[in-house]
C-alpha cells in the first residue's frame, strides 16, 4: 500500500460528515448508551466510565450486553454498589462474570482500588493533570493507568487477580498499544460536547488523543491521516496530529463519527457505489483514488 494523501478539501468533507451524522442512531449502539442514563455526577461518571471503557472490547452489542449483565447484578445505582465497602455477597455476584478475557474478580478488585483512591482524592482528573503537566497526554494516561492498577494506594487490598495490571496499559510502557480504552475514557470525561460528559475541566480538548479502534484506524489509513498499518501509540499521535490540523481546539470531535461510520456499516470498507456515492469523504478515500462515481 503506497502513500496516500487526502484532497485539500478534507477539512470541509469531514465537517460535512460530522454535520450530517445521525448521532442519536449511533449512540444507541455505543457503550455510552449504557452509562449516560445512570450517570449522576462526576464520581459516578468516572466509575461507570472506567468500567464501560475497560469492557469496550469486541462488538458493541456484546459490550452493551456485558454492561447490562453487570448493572443487573444488584438493584440500585451501579456506581454506589461498586464504591460500597466490599462484601462477600458482591464478590460472589461478580465471580461468574465474563466478557472476553475480562473476569468478575478483576472488576471486584478494580472496585476496591477505586474506593481506596477516592478515600484521598476527589477525581481521577487529579492524577491525569499531574502527568499532563509533567509530560503531556501520554504521561497523564500513564498516571491514570497506575492509579487503576492500585499503585500507591492498594495497601490492604491484597495482591491483584491474575492479568489485572494488563487491563490498564500505559503508552509510556507499551508504545505498541494504542491504549484505546483509557484514551476513550478520557475523551468521555473531558469533552463537553455531545455525546461526551465533560466533567473534567482542567484538560483542554486540544490535548486529547484519538481512541484508535479498528474502525477509526481503517478510515484514518484510507483517508491518508496516517501511513501506519498497525495500531500503536505512534499511530494515535499521527492521526491526532492530522485531525488537530483540521480542528486545533477539538480534534477528537471526529472520533465518534469516524468510529460509528465503520460500526454502522455506513462505510463498507470496500468500493461500493451504492454506499460510497453519497459519502462526504469519498473524494479523499484511497479506494476511490482517480475514480469517478458516475460511470
Ligand atoms: S468512500 Fe466508501 S469506502 Fe471510502 S470512506 Fe466513504 S464509505 Fe468508506
Amino acid at each position: 500500500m503506497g502513500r496516500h494523501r487526502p484532497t485539500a478539501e478534507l477539512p470541509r468533507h469531514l465537517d460535512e460528515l460530522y454535520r450530517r451524522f445521525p448521532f442519536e442512531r449511533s449512540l444507541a449502539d455505543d457503550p455510552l448508551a449504557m452509562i449516560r442514563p445512570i450517570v449522576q455526577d462526576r464520581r459516578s461518571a468516572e466509575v461507570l466510565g472506567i468500567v464501560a471503557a475497560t469492557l469496550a472490547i469486541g462488538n458493541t452489542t456484546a459490550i452493551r450486553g456485558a454492561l447490562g449483565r453487570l448493572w443487573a447484578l444488584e438493584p440500585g445505582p451501579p456506581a454506589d454498589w461498586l464504591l460500597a465497602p466490599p462484601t462477600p455477597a458482591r464478590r460472589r455476584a461478580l465471580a461468574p462474570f465474563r466478557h472476553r478475557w475480562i473476569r468478575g474478580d478483576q472488576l471486584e478488585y478494580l472496585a476496591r482500588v477505586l474506593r481506596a483512591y477516592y478515600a484521598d482524592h476527589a477525581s481521577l482528573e487529579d492524577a491525569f493533570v499531574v502527568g499532563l503537566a509533567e509530560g503531556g497526554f501520554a504521561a497523564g494516561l500513564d498516571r491514570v493507568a497506575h492509579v487503576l492498577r492500585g499503585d500507591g494506594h492498594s495497601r490492604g487490598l491484597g495482591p491483584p487477580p491474575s492479568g489485572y495490571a494488563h487491563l490498564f496499559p500505559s503508552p509510556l510502557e507499551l508504545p505498541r498499544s494504542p491504549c484505546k480504552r483509557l484514551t476513550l475514557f478520557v475523551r468521555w470525561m473531558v469533552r463537553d460536547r455531545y455525546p461526551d460528559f465533560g466533567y473534567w475541566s482542567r484538560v483542554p480538548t486540544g490535548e486529547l488523543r484519538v481512541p484508535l479502534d479498528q474502525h477509526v484506524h481503517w478510515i484514518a489509513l484510507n483517508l491518508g491521516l496516517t501511513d501506519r498499518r498497525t495500531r500503536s501509540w505512534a499511530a494515535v499521535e499521527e492521526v491526532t496530529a492530522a485531525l488537530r490540523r483540521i480542528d486545533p481546539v477539538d480534534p477528537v470531535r471526529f472520533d465518534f463519527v469516524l468510529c460509528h461510520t465503520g460500526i454502522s456499516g455506513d462505510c463498507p470498507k470496500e468500493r461500493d457505489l451504492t454506499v460510497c456515492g453519497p459519502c462526504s469523504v469519498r473524494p479523499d478515500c484511497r479506494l476511490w483514488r482517480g475514480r469517478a462515481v458516475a460511470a
Side-chain angles (χ1 to χ4, degrees), residues 151-208:
D151 295 352
H153 58 275
S154 60
R155 202 145 42 107
L157 300 185
S162 65
Y164 178 76
H166 297 304
L167 298 182
F168 310 108
S170 157
L172 299 188
E173 298 166 349
L174 197 64
R176 71 172 184 274
S177 168
C179 300
K180 183 216 79 171
R181 292 176 291 154
L182 270 190
T183 307
L184 180 63
F185 168 72
V186 175
R187 190 202 92 195
W188 290 345
M189 293 304 123
V190 171
R191 292 190 74 253
D192 63 359
R193 292 169 72 178
Y194 190 84
D196 300 312
F197 293 119
Y199 279 112
W200 290 6
S201 58
R202 290 177 282 162
V203 182
T205 51
E207 290 292 334
L208 290 174

Side-chain angles (χ1 to χ4, degrees), residues 218-219 223 261 266-272 275-276 279 281-282 285 287-288:
W218 188 93
I219 201 162
L223 294 182
T261 293
D266 287 355
C267 172
K269 299 189 172 81
E270 61 185 17
R271 212 165 41 241
D272 178 333
V275 185
C276 298
C279 173
V281 295
R282 184 186 47 76
C285 179
L287 301 187
W288 286 89

Side-chain angles (χ1 to χ4, degrees), residues 5 17 40-41 45-46 56 65 67 93 95 109 112 134 136 159 168 173 181 187 194-195 199 255 268 272:
R5 289 292 171 262
L17 187 72
Q40 295 167 318
D41 52 22
E46 289 184 3
L67 289 168
Y109 194 82
R112 290 191 284 137
E134 287 173 350
F168 310 108
E173 298 166 349
R181 292 176 291 154
R187 190 202 92 195
Y194 190 84
Y199 279 112
D255 174 55
D272 178 333

Side-chain angles (χ1 to χ4, degrees), residues 22-172:
F23 278 86
E24 286 293 342
R25 176 208 66 180
S26 282
L27 183 70
D29 200 25
D30 193 275
L32 273 174
M34 297 301 296
I35 55 175
R36 281 186 70 87
I38 52 176
V39 159
Q40 295 167 318
D41 52 22
R42 181 176 65 180
R43 178 73 54 88
S44 64
E46 289 184 3
V47 172
L48 300 176
I50 204 65
V51 170
T54 301
L55 294 176
I57 302 167
N59 76 65
T60 53
T61 303
I63 296 166
R64 286 183 290 108
L67 289 168
R69 283 188 280 120
L70 203 53
W71 300 164
L73 288 177
E74 179 75 13
D80 292 355
W81 182 59
L82 291 167
L83 286 181
T87 62
R90 188 177 72 183
R91 188 163 43 79
R92 281 196 301 274
L94 280 167
F97 179 86
R98 296 284 183 282
H99 172 63
R100 304 289 292 264
W101 57 86
I102 298 176
R103 308 185 310 270
D105 61 331
Q106 295 168 323
L107 297 181
E108 159 68 11
Y109 194 82
L110 171 62
R112 290 191 284 137
V113 164
L114 288 170
R115 179 179 168 79
Y117 176 78
Y118 287 129
D120 296 320
H121 302 85
S123 166
L124 290 168
E125 185 181 22
D126 297 348
F128 187 86
V129 294
V130 169
L132 183 68
E134 287 173 350
F137 187 94
L141 219 56
D142 178 75
R143 285 276 182 163
V144 173
H146 280 277
V147 164
L148 296 173
R149 292 178 206 166
D151 295 352
H153 58 275
S154 60
R155 202 145 42 107
L157 300 185
S162 65
Y164 178 76
H166 297 304
L167 298 182
F168 310 108
S170 157
L172 299 188

